[in-house]
Amino acid sequence: MSSHPFNERAATRQQAERDRFIATHPKSMALARAAQAHYLFGVPLHWMRDWPSPATLFVRSAQGITLTCADGLAYADFCLGDTGAMFGHSPPELATAIAEQAALGLTCMLPSDRAARVGEQLQNVFGLPVWQMALTASDANRFVLRWARAITARSRVLVFDGCYHGAVDDTLVDLDPATGRTLPRPSVLGNVHNHAEFTRVVPFNDLAALEEALAQGDVACLLAEPALTNFGLVPPAADFWDAARALCHRHGSLFVCDETHTISTARGGYAHAHGLAPDFLVVGKAVAGGLPCAVYGFTHQMALRMTAAKDAAPEGHSGIGTTLAGNALTLAALDASLQHLHSAANYAHVLALAASLEQALRRRIDHASMPWTITRLGARMELQFMPHTPRNAQDVRAHAQSALEVFTHLFMLNRGVLLTPFHCMLLVSPATQQADVDRLLRAFDELLAALA
Ligand SMILES: Cc1ncc(COP(=O)(O)O)c(C=O)c1O
């Protein structure tokens, strides 16, 4: 890996970029030192240290796609809170709805009077008729796994290698490429359970492996993103989902579609646009414009089976739900978001602008003869340091160039452009304009020149 020339070139230039950040961000550097006293790793959530800058960028404000840091520098934000702010930061309709509801009660453990309308809109946007709410996509996935196991009376969950569905223990497993066995993910802290006992992992885009895993007859559900988005961007092969869906059906396993990131594909998400007909659908992060909220929807048939499972269980805790889920503030934000953000006009804007950005990046990569590619799924795209679109997680691992990735992030950040930190993902929002795209392209030209 490190023998790759661009990786080595990036590693040697990294110190200059670190020095540049330190010189131009004295306030973020000072805030980082102060925060060190009161936060583990100096940040409210330790992932915030995973950005590649010498200190975390402390944010003063974020509006549209402009993020302003404590030093007063403005950034064109293509990370957008790793999808949480996919519709732009603080869209005016959302900010107004939140402010109005804030004066009318935040949480009552009762539905607000707008709940029925929100349910109708969820069906309108995502296509499924019945819904439940959670506060995070991690929670929603956890709850759906519980329902799926309860209604099928099967213990196994099936996921794809390289998946990420949040802090959901059952899914934090890897595929051992040498043996094909499922292994607990070694980086997970404090794990005492062998999740490999109840979870099976197969490579994405591999129908034979999927069939073999399902044929054992113990799989409650396949939990999957329509495309892998958290291990680089890995799109499904043509007809993969038609066949995968049919296999689930044939073997009595439910299909749970996690659209938390793939709602970037089209209005209502990938499953809606491509007719995947999931049994359950999970959406979090941006569903209420970035206010903590997640939803899961399901068919009438699932609703009947869930009702029967609940009725048959003894009185007491179901293990599903949290006190603040479905609170009044969240419902108000979801209402405004479904009305104003998940709109055909917003999607038309982001899909057109993202397509033109993809073409512009591709032209530059070709012109510079770089062995790189761009993979796009609607408004989301990924700069990949490999010559072809990956087919599965193992393909991504084989081409990993971490020094080049880290360098690219910091280089772009130093030129006023934010990319998603864990890989080189770019997201176009309804607030993104051609001028923002031009700024990104200028920085990308500089990056290519620096690596030439
Ligand atoms: C596909 C997918 N599902 C679920 C989650 C979990 O979201 P949250 O961290 O908001 O719980 C993520 C987070 O990145 C995700 O990418």
Side-chain angles (χ1 to χ4, degrees):
M1 280 195 299
S2 60
S3 65
H4 197 288
F6 298 116
N7 211 32
E8 284 173 6
R9 235 167 272 174
T12 56
R13 283 163 173 72
Q14 184 70 358
Q15 192 53 47
E17 292 303 318
R18 289 176 65 83
D19 293 345
R20 178 170 170 157
F21 180 94
I22 292 167
T24 49
H25 296 81
K27 290 200 172 130
S28 272
M29 296 300 294
L31 286 168
R33 280 191 295 275
Q36 201 69 40
H38 300 293
Y39 292 103
L40 186 66
F41 306 112
V43 281
L45 166 62
H46 73 88
W47 304 354
M48 292 173 179
R49 271 311 293 134
D50 291 349
W51 287 73
S53 40
T56 304
L57 196 63
F58 282 72
V59 177
R60 184 183 293 166
S61 66
Q63 183 69 58
I65 74 148
T66 302
L67 187 147
T68 307
C69 73
D71 288 281
L73 305 174
Y75 295 85
D77 188 359
F78 287 84
C79 164
L80 296 168
D82 192 18
T83 308
M86 191 185 93
F87 296 105
H89 295 285
S90 290
E93 303 92 335
L94 183 65
T96 304
I98 291 172
E100 283 174 5
Q101 183 64 42
L104 297 173
L106 302 179
T107 189
C108 315
M109 240 192 51
L110 288 168
S112 75
D113 58 3
R114 66 177 90 228
R117 185 174 73 222
V118 169
E120 203 177 303
Q121 290 180 92
L122 284 168
Q123 172 163 20
N124 176 273
V125 173
F126 297 106
L128 281 154
V130 195
W131 294 85
Q132 284 284 275
M133 294 185 65
L135 287 176
T136 66
S138 298
D139 273 351
N141 280 320
R142 237 190 315 271
F143 301 154
V144 171
L145 293 189
R146 213 179 262 286
W147 281 119
R149 284 172 162 147
I151 68 180
T152 59
R154 291 179 173 189
S155 58
R156 285 269 181 188
V157 169
L158 185 59
V159 294
F160 289 120
D161 184 32
C163 75
Y164 185 69
H165 297 286
V168 182
D169 282 0
D170 302 75
T171 63
L172 295 169
V173 287
D174 287 331
L175 184 71
D176 179 349
T179 63
R181 283 177 47 226
T182 302
L183 302 173
R185 197 166 285 175
S187 56
V188 174
L189 295 175
N191 183 34
V192 294
H193 300 288
N194 179 12
H195 292 291
E197 217 179 301
F198 295 108
T199 305
R200 200 168 284 141
V201 186
V202 292
F204 192 55
N205 278 326
D206 186 337
L207 288 169
L210 182 67
E211 171 139 45
E212 195 183 320
L214 290 167
Q216 298 183 43
D218 57 354
V219 174
C221 67
L222 167 67
L223 168 61
E225 291 188 277
L228 298 183
T229 67
N230 285 296
F231 211 85
L233 183 54
V234 184
D239 300 332
F240 174 73
W241 276 115
D242 283 347
R245 187 75 192 83
L247 285 174
C248 287
H249 194 68
R250 185 177 321 145
H251 294 286
S253 304
L254 305 176
F255 171 39
V256 180
C257 184
D258 181 352
E259 289 265 28
T260 297
H261 279 178
T262 49
I263 55 165
S264 63
T265 309
R267 180 175 185 267
Y270 188 103
H272 199 43
H274 294 266
L276 299 197
D279 297 297
F280 287 88
L281 182 109
V282 171
V283 196
K285 294 200 183 185
V287 72
L291 199 81
C293 175
V295 293
Y296 55 101
F298 33 95
T299 61
H300 284 300
Q301 197 202 4
M302 292 302 115
L304 286 175
R305 294 174 70 181
M306 291 155 82
T307 308
K310 181 78 180 85
D311 288 348
E315 278 293 301
H317 295 139
S318 63
I320 295 170
T322 55
T323 312
L324 299 183
N327 68 69
L329 186 68
T330 303
L331 270 172
L334 185 57
D335 192 5
S337 172
L338 292 166
Q339 275 185 61
H340 302 291
L341 307 182
H342 295 256
S343 68
N346 275 349
Y347 274 93
H349 174 83
V350 299
L351 297 183
L353 195 54
S356 83
L357 173 56
E358 177 196 3
Q359 289 313 318
L361 289 169
R362 279 185 184 281
R363 276 197 300 278
R364 284 163 168 78
I365 289 169
D366 290 349
H367 187 253
S369 301
M370 288 304 213
W372 301 351
T373 194
I374 303 284
T375 301
R376 181 170 72 86
L377 192 68
R380 166 188 308 273
M381 72 195 81
E382 178 101 13
L383 167 62
Q384 291 167 319
F385 300 120
M386 53 193 290
H388 60 274
T389 297
R391 209 181 136 69
N392 55 37
Q394 198 48 31
D395 206 3
V396 175
R397 285 185 195 103
H399 291 88
Q401 297 182 61
S402 55
L404 178 55
E405 211 165 273
V406 165
F407 175 74
T408 299
H409 274 279
L410 185 55
F411 188 97
M412 299 296 272
L413 186 152
N414 276 336
R415 283 144 192 88
V417 176
L418 297 185
L419 311 182
T420 304
F422 312 118
H423 37 108
C424 287
M425 194 273 287
L426 303 163
L427 200 51
V428 171
S429 94
T432 311
Q433 299 301 327
Q434 187 60 45
D436 308 308
V437 166
D438 292 343
R439 184 172 190 181
L440 185 152
L441 292 172
R442 280 195 302 277
F444 191 65
D445 285 338
E446 275 190 61
L447 175 77
L448 291 172
L451 291 170

